[in-house]
Amino acid sequence: MAELCAEAIESLQLCGDSVHIADPVYKYLVTKTFEELSDVNSPQNILDTDLVNGQVDKSALKEAHFGLALLILESCKHDSDQQSISSILEDCKFPVNRTNLFCKLFEKYKRKIRSSLSNVNGSSLPHVVDVDWRLDYYIKNNHAEKVNSLDYTVKLKTESPGQDGLTDFQFSCSTEQLQDMVGKLREACKSVEKAGQS
């Protein structure tokens, strides 16, 4: 796991301190932070709640939220395990019950957050995992007595990050179109190989 900046460590130390952040507020804060990071499309204002109002200083709450969010994102980014996260939280003087709650929520939301992070990095395009094809020979059709053409029907099976199951993408093309596509794919592979060797 990557090192956290000094500000993040200080924020986590504040978050672990039950004098500044009471247990019910911590439970609310850590749960809402995980929910917020796992569903980026639903904006949440974690400061507007009766649980928080009057129990904790809003600047302390914001600082604690910053530390938690940064730890969650960095841990997901580096695919950290519970042991390394527990070690960081222990260094920040987190009590065992708070560490356990954080680790439990981390395991629950880790996959969704990693999926969201992969979308941010631009690698959300589907990956081709399999190809099925069929050759169709047309002798004639409704408009002409004699056609004698070859058509390929190609089905690409793709998987997208963060989604279960495969998606099919199907198209038809002539022999020339298929040869052109294969040639372009070979050029792309050569370009990637050259870029990898540089």
Side-chain angles (χ1 to χ4, degrees), residues 43 61 71 115 119 144 154 158 164 186:
L61 188 67
L71 177 62
S115 175
N119 290 338
V154 180
T158 62
D164 294 331
R186 285 188 178 136

Side-chain angles (χ1 to χ4, degrees), residues 10 18 21 25 30-31 40 47 63 67 81 89 99 101 103 111 120-121 127 133 153 166 169 175 192:
E10 290 173 12
S18 58
I21 308 288
V25 175
V30 72
T31 303
V40 292
L47 299 178
E63 190 174 338
D81 59 2
L89 294 176
T99 300
L101 177 60
C103 290
R111 184 174 176 194
V120 169
N121 291 332
H127 302 282
W133 62 275
T153 301
L166 300 177
F169 178 76
T175 303
V192 169

Side-chain angles (χ1 to χ4, degrees), residues 53-100:
N53 291 334
Q55 288 197 30
V56 66
D57 179 44
K58 290 207 180 204
S59 63
L61 188 67
K62 285 181 183 180
E63 190 174 338
H65 178 259
F66 161 74
L68 286 172
L70 191 59
L71 177 62
I72 293 166
L73 291 172
E74 285 295 319
S75 298
C76 287
K77 177 180 170 185
H78 296 285
D79 198 16
S80 300
D81 59 2
Q82 285 189 12
Q83 184 178 1
S84 60
I85 294 169
S86 294
S87 174
I88 290 171
L89 294 176
E90 285 175 21
D91 292 345
C92 293
K93 310 290 189 252
F94 266 60
V96 174
N97 62 329
R98 290 186 180 198
T99 300
N100 290 342

Side-chain angles (χ1 to χ4, degrees), residues 184-198:
K184 288 180 181 178
L185 288 172
R186 285 188 178 136
E187 287 175 20
C189 287
K190 287 178 184 176
S191 295
V192 169
E193 286 175 8
K194 284 181 185 177
Q197 293 172 353
S198 299

Side-chain angles (χ1 to χ4, degrees), residues 18-173:
S18 58
V19 172
H20 291 97
I21 308 288
D23 283 341
V25 175
Y26 170 78
K27 184 177 181 180
Y28 168 81
L29 179 64
V30 72
T31 303
K32 289 298 181 185
T33 303
F34 273 105
E35 289 174 357
E36 175 185 55
L37 294 174
S38 67
D39 187 10
V40 292
N41 294 326
S42 67
Q44 299 177 14
N45 188 350
I46 63 168
L47 299 178
D48 290 342
T49 179
D50 292 336
L51 177 67
V52 173
N53 291 334
Q55 288 197 30
V56 66
D57 179 44
K58 290 207 180 204
S59 63
L61 188 67
K62 285 181 183 180
E63 190 174 338
H65 178 259
F66 161 74
L68 286 172
L70 191 59
L71 177 62
I72 293 166
L73 291 172
E74 285 295 319
S75 298
C76 287
K77 177 180 170 185
H78 296 285
D79 198 16
S80 300
D81 59 2
Q82 285 189 12
Q83 184 178 1
S84 60
I85 294 169
S86 294
S87 174
I88 290 171
L89 294 176
E90 285 175 21
D91 292 345
C92 293
K93 310 290 189 252
F94 266 60
V96 174
N97 62 329
R98 290 186 180 198
T99 300
N100 290 342
L101 177 60
F102 185 95
C103 290
K104 177 181 163 193
L105 291 170
F106 181 75
E107 285 304 312
K108 178 179 177 182
Y109 289 103
K110 178 180 178 180
R111 184 174 176 194
K112 284 179 96 174
I113 296 172
R114 283 183 57 82
S115 175
S116 295
L117 285 174
S118 70
N119 290 338
V120 169
N121 291 332
S123 56
S124 61
L125 296 174
H127 302 282
V128 176
V129 294
D130 195 14
V131 177
D132 290 331
W133 62 275
R134 181 181 75 228
L135 176 61
D136 295 321
Y137 181 69
Y138 294 102
I139 299 172
K140 66 179 186 174
N141 65 18
N142 292 341
H143 305 292
E145 189 63 32
K146 208 171 191 187
V147 176
N148 291 334
S149 71
L150 294 173
D151 278 346
Y152 289 91
T153 301
V154 180
K155 185 191 299 184
L156 302 175
K157 295 187 184 289
T158 62
E159 66 179 0
S160 296
Q163 294 181 352
D164 294 331
L166 300 177
T167 305
D168 292 340
F169 178 76
Q170 186 172 322
F171 61 94
S172 295
C173 59

